[in-house]
Amino acid sequence: MDDQNKNLILATVLSFLVILIWFTLFPPPTPEVDPNAPTTTAQGVDATQPATATGEPASGAPAVDTAAAELSAAARVDIETPRLEGSISLLGGRIDDLSLKDYKVSLDEGAADVRLLAPIGGTDLNAAKPYYAVYGWLPAGGLDPSFVPNAKTLWQVEAGATLAPGKPVTLKWDNGAGLVFHRKIEVDDDYLFTVTQSVENQTGAAVRLAPYGIVARHGIPDAQRIYVLHEGVVRMSDGVLEETKYSAIPDLDIDNREGAPAEPVAVTADGWIGFTDKYWMTTLAPAPGQPFTSVVKYVPGADIYQAEARLPVMDVAPGATSTATTMLFAGAKEWEAIKGYEETAGIKGFVDSIDWGWFFFLTKPMFQLLHWLHGAIGNMGWAIIALTFIIKLIVFPLARKSYISMARMKELQPEMEALKEAAGDDRQKMQKGMMELYKKNKVNPASGCLPILLQIPIFFSLYKVIYVTIELYHAPWFGWIKDLSSPDPSSILNLFGLLPWATPDQGSLFFIFSLGVLPILLGISMWFQQKLNPAPTDPTQQMIFAWMPWIFMFMLGSFASGLVIYWIANNTITFVQQYTIMSMHGKRPDLFGNIKSGFKRDKSAPK
C-alpha cells in the first residue's frame, strides 16, 4: 500500500470515526409521571415538616387528582409579553404555564406554540409532563412551618392584573400571626422574570426563615439523548461550570441531609442553576453577589428532577422587612438574549449555558461569526455555506501543504513500485529503501497527514455549532428546505414527491433508506472528490474507496439539513482546492479518466 493512499485512507477513517462518535445515541428511559416532589429543606434550616414543590408530604403518598383539582380551581394571573404567553397559579404562586410565541412545534399550518412550562394535571399534549418554577420560604429557629407560605398557599393579587413588560404583578399572603409575605413578579420583553420575595415582621419577636427558588421537572423529558448535545442540569458556581445529564441525576450519592440523591454546592458570590434542553432552558439566578446553595436533587419515589437555589437564613427583627431577589430565565437559548442578560443583568458566565463542547475556544468564535453572517445575509443556509468557505480559507495553508505532499508522494510512485518489486517479501529491506528514498527527495510522508489531523478539531467544532444553534430551528433555506434543523424532507422512495405515496417517518427504522436530494448530493460530492486520484490497485483499498461515499450518504441522510449543507459545501470547496493545487504543481488530475477507469473495472469485475 503506497503512502499516498495510506494518508487518504487515514483521513477518511478519521472523518468516519468522528461522525460515528457524534451519532451515538443514548437509549431513552421511560419514566412515569408522579406529582410528588422532593423536600426543600435548606441547609442549616430547622424544618420540622419540610414542604415539597407540590405541597404534598415528602413520604411520597400520591395525590394526582387532588393536586390537579386544586390547581385547576385556583385563580390565575395571565402572562402576556411580545414573546411569551401563559399564566401564574395563585395556588403556591407558581409559574407553571408558559408558551413561546416565536416558536412552533412544527411547520404545519395552525401548529401550536412550543410549550415550555406546564402545570400538574395538565392535558396539553404538547407538554404532558409537569414542569414549573415555584418560590417560597422555609422556617428556621423554631418557627412554626404553618407560619410560612408553601406550595398550597393561596395568594391574593395585591397589585397588577396581567403580567407584562413594565407591568409587574404583586401577590400577598398574610399568615394571620403577624407575618405578611409579598411576592413581586416582573418580566421583560424577552425571557427574564425577576421575582422579589419579601416578609414583613409585625410580631413582637425576631423570626428566622430562608427564601428559596425551585425548578421542578416531573420525569425525563422527550430529549434528544445524543452524545454531541448536553441535556439536563447546567449550573455555574463561582465561575465553575458543571453539567449533569438527566440519566446521571438518579445516580448521585444519597445526601443524608436531603434524604435523596442530591448534590449541593455552596456558592459564595455568583452563580445560577437550571435545566437545559437542546433549544430551551429554565434557569434560576440569584442577584449578583448573592451567596446561596445550589442543589441538584432527585426523588426516586416521585421521579422528579429538581434544581434549587437556596438563599441563606434571614433574621427579621420586629417591625422590619427583609427581601430576596431571584431571576428566572425561561425561554429559548438565543445567544443574543443570553449574552445580553450576562452583560445587563449581571448573570456571570451565562453565555456558557449554551453547550459549546470541548472545543469551546473554537465553537464560540465560530458561532459569533455564523450569527453575524446570518444577520448580514438574512438566510441561515447561505450563512452556513459562507462560514464553511471562510473556515476553509483560514485552513487553506494547512490544506495546501497536505495536497502538495500528496502530489510529491505521487511523483515517487514509480520508484516506490520498483522498490516493492526489488524487496519482494523482505519488509525490513522495503522499509529501509523507503526511508532512504524519502530522505533523498526530502519528502516527509507524515506531512500530508498532519495538516488533516490539525483540521479535525476545527471541523468538529463547526459541526457542533451547526447542530446546537437554535437559529437553525425552523429556518428555511430555499425551495423544499423549510427547516434546517430537520432532515431533508424529500425522498427517493417516492421520486421526490412525484409518486403519490408516503415515505417512512423520521423515527422509523426504514427512514435511513428515504434519501433526500441533499444526502444524494453529499454522496456525489464525496465520489467526485475521490476521483481526483486514480483508484488504488489493491482490491481491499478499491472496495473501501468505492463504498465510502455511499456509506456516508446513508449515515448523514437523517442528519439536519443544515449539517448536510455544510458537508456538501466542505466537499465542494475541498474538491476545487485540491484540483487547483495539484494543477499548479504540474499534476492536473485526470478526473474523467479516473471516472472512466472506475466504470471499466466495474464492468470487467467477475460476476
Side-chain angles (χ1 to χ4, degrees):
M1 182 186 297
D2 58 79
D3 290 280
Q4 179 183 350
N5 285 326
K6 281 183 179 179
N7 289 336
L8 288 173
I9 291 177
L10 178 59
T12 304
V13 171
L14 287 172
S15 301
F16 186 76
L17 289 176
V18 168
I19 296 298
L20 282 177
I21 291 171
W22 287 130
F23 201 50
T24 303
L25 298 176
F26 290 99
T30 55
E32 297 181 0
V33 177
D34 189 303
N36 294 325
T39 60
T40 57
T41 307
Q43 201 166 359
V45 176
D46 178 18
T48 57
Q49 180 60 45
T52 69
T54 62
E56 298 300 324
S59 61
V64 178
D65 295 338
T66 302
E70 290 175 343
L71 284 167
S72 178
R76 287 183 170 270
V77 175
D78 289 337
I79 300 172
E80 189 66 43
T81 81
R83 312 194 70 184
L84 298 174
E85 185 176 40
S87 61
I88 302 169
S89 174
L90 293 184
L91 185 66
R94 69 182 70 193
I95 303 174
D96 63 355
D97 174 24
L98 199 65
S99 297
L100 311 181
K101 297 163 79 172
D102 292 340
Y103 298 95
K104 304 292 183 181
V105 296
S106 72
L107 291 172
D108 297 337
E109 186 176 354
D113 294 337
V114 169
R115 184 80 175 272
L116 180 62
L117 303 181
I120 295 174
T123 58
D124 192 317
L125 295 178
N126 182 35
K129 297 179 180 179
Y131 184 22
Y132 49 86
V134 63
Y135 294 82
W137 297 79
L138 287 172
L143 184 64
D144 191 329
S146 65
F147 284 6
V148 297
N150 58 35
K152 284 192 172 182
T153 299
L154 188 61
W155 293 76
Q156 302 296 319
V157 178
E158 184 178 36
T162 298
L163 180 61
K167 297 180 180 179
V169 168
T170 302
L171 309 181
K172 177 182 178 181
W173 181 67
D174 189 335
N175 72 352
L179 294 180
V180 181
F181 294 86
H182 298 270
R183 186 175 297 169
K184 182 181 179 181
I185 306 174
E186 303 169 271
V187 67
D188 68 358
D189 290 329
D190 289 320
Y191 305 118
L192 193 67
F193 295 82
T194 302
V195 179
T196 303
Q197 300 185 88
S198 63
V199 55
E200 181 181 352
N201 185 5
Q202 298 176 357
T203 69
V207 296
R208 303 186 75 230
L209 65 174
Y212 64 83
I214 300 174
V215 175
R217 189 157 210 170
H218 293 226
I220 294 181
D222 296 327
Q224 297 284 323
R225 298 182 184 90
I226 190 170
Y227 183 72
V228 71
L229 175 70
H230 170 71
E231 292 176 291
V233 170
V234 59
R235 61 174 166 181
M236 182 72 73
S237 307
D238 294 320
V240 178
L241 181 69
E242 181 183 355
E243 297 175 336
T244 308
K245 287 188 174 291
Y246 287 113
S247 58
I249 297 175
D251 296 329
L252 295 173
D253 293 335
I254 301 294
D255 188 284
N256 293 331
R257 187 182 293 271
E258 305 292 336
E263 189 176 62
V265 173
V267 181
T268 59
D270 296 284
W272 39 267
I273 182 171
F275 292 106
T276 180
D277 299 325
K278 181 175 182 179
Y279 294 130
W280 331 115
M281 182 171 63
T282 308
T283 308
L284 295 165
Q290 170 68 61
F292 70 100
T293 300
S294 169
V295 183
V296 181
K297 189 196 302 187
Y298 174 75
V299 174
D303 190 28
I304 292 183
Y305 300 75
Q306 193 156 306
E308 304 179 20
R310 303 174 183 171
L311 276 61
V313 175
M314 295 181 174
D315 292 290
V316 187
T321 299
S322 293
T323 63
T325 300
T326 304
M327 291 170 282
L328 172 70
F329 176 93
K333 293 164 61 176
E334 299 170 354
W335 177 83
E336 196 166 338
I338 292 175
K339 182 65 175 176
Y341 292 137
E342 182 177 301
E343 296 172 350
T344 60
I347 308 177
K348 291 186 178 180
F350 201 37
V351 73
D352 289 331
S353 60
I354 299 173
D355 184 16
W356 301 111
W358 296 335
F359 301 107
F360 60 90
F361 51 89
L362 293 175
T363 51
K364 281 186 178 181
M366 282 184 187
F367 176 80
Q368 294 182 42
L369 179 57
L370 179 64
H371 183 76
W372 182 85
L373 289 170
H374 182 210
I377 299 173
N379 183 286
M380 182 55 75
W382 296 116
I384 291 172
I385 294 175
L387 177 63
T388 308
F389 180 83
I390 292 172
I391 297 298
K392 293 292 288 184
L393 189 64
I394 293 173
V395 301
F396 178 73
L398 292 175
R400 179 175 176 273
K401 186 175 182 180
S402 176
Y403 299 149
I404 291 175
S405 177
M406 288 182 180
R408 295 184 66 184
M409 292 290 291
K410 190 174 181 180
E411 293 174 1
L412 299 178
Q413 190 72 24
E415 296 181 59
M416 287 191 287
E417 290 295 333
L419 274 175
K420 289 180 183 178
E421 292 181 7
D425 296 332
D426 191 343
R427 289 183 172 272
Q428 186 175 359
K429 182 180 178 181
M430 173 68 182
Q431 291 296 327
K432 184 179 179 180
M434 295 282 279
M435 290 299 103
E436 291 176 354
L437 182 64
Y438 294 150
K439 186 176 180 180
K440 176 183 176 182
N441 292 273
K442 297 180 180 180
V443 173
N444 183 358
S447 62
C449 186
L450 182 60
I452 296 175
L453 292 175
L454 294 176
Q455 291 178 59
I456 286 178
I458 296 174
F459 296 114
F460 195 69
S461 301
L462 183 57
Y463 177 96
K464 174 83 170 181
V465 166
I466 295 174
Y467 188 84
V468 304
T469 177
I470 194 174
E471 278 77 3
L472 269 72
Y473 184 76
H474 290 177
W477 184 27
F478 74 89
W480 74 102
I481 304 297
K482 304 295 185 183
D483 181 7
L484 289 170
S485 67
S486 296
D488 186 338
S490 61
S491 175
I492 196 173
L493 297 181
N494 63 1
L495 294 183
F496 313 108
L498 295 178
L499 299 178
W501 58 65
T503 56
D505 295 331
Q506 184 175 343
S508 170
L509 178 64
F510 300 101
F511 182 75
I512 191 173
F513 301 106
S514 184
L515 292 173
V517 174
L518 291 180
I520 293 174
L521 290 177
L522 171 65
I524 293 173
S525 68
M526 291 189 69
W527 181 74
F528 267 102
Q529 192 175 340
Q530 279 188 0
K531 296 305 176 182
L532 288 174
N533 294 288
T537 57
D538 183 78
T540 302
Q541 295 179 51
Q542 286 184 25
M543 183 180 66
I544 293 174
F545 275 80
W547 282 101
M548 192 61 67
W550 318 121
I551 291 174
F552 268 77
M553 180 179 69
F554 281 100
M555 282 182 56
L556 297 179
S558 57
F559 273 48
S561 299
L563 293 171
V564 181
I565 290 171
Y566 151 66
W567 279 101
I568 294 172
N570 180 69
N571 289 344
T572 303
I573 296 170
T574 300
F575 175 88
V576 174
Q577 285 182 344
Q578 188 173 352
Y579 188 93
T580 303
I581 292 173
M582 293 176 72
S583 298
M584 290 172 61
H585 286 78
K587 297 294 180 182
R588 182 185 297 274
D590 185 10
L591 181 63
F592 295 104
N594 293 338
I595 293 175
K596 287 180 181 179
S597 63
F599 283 116
K600 287 179 181 178
R601 280 194 305 274
D602 291 342
K603 291 180 180 179
S604 61
K607 297 181 181 180

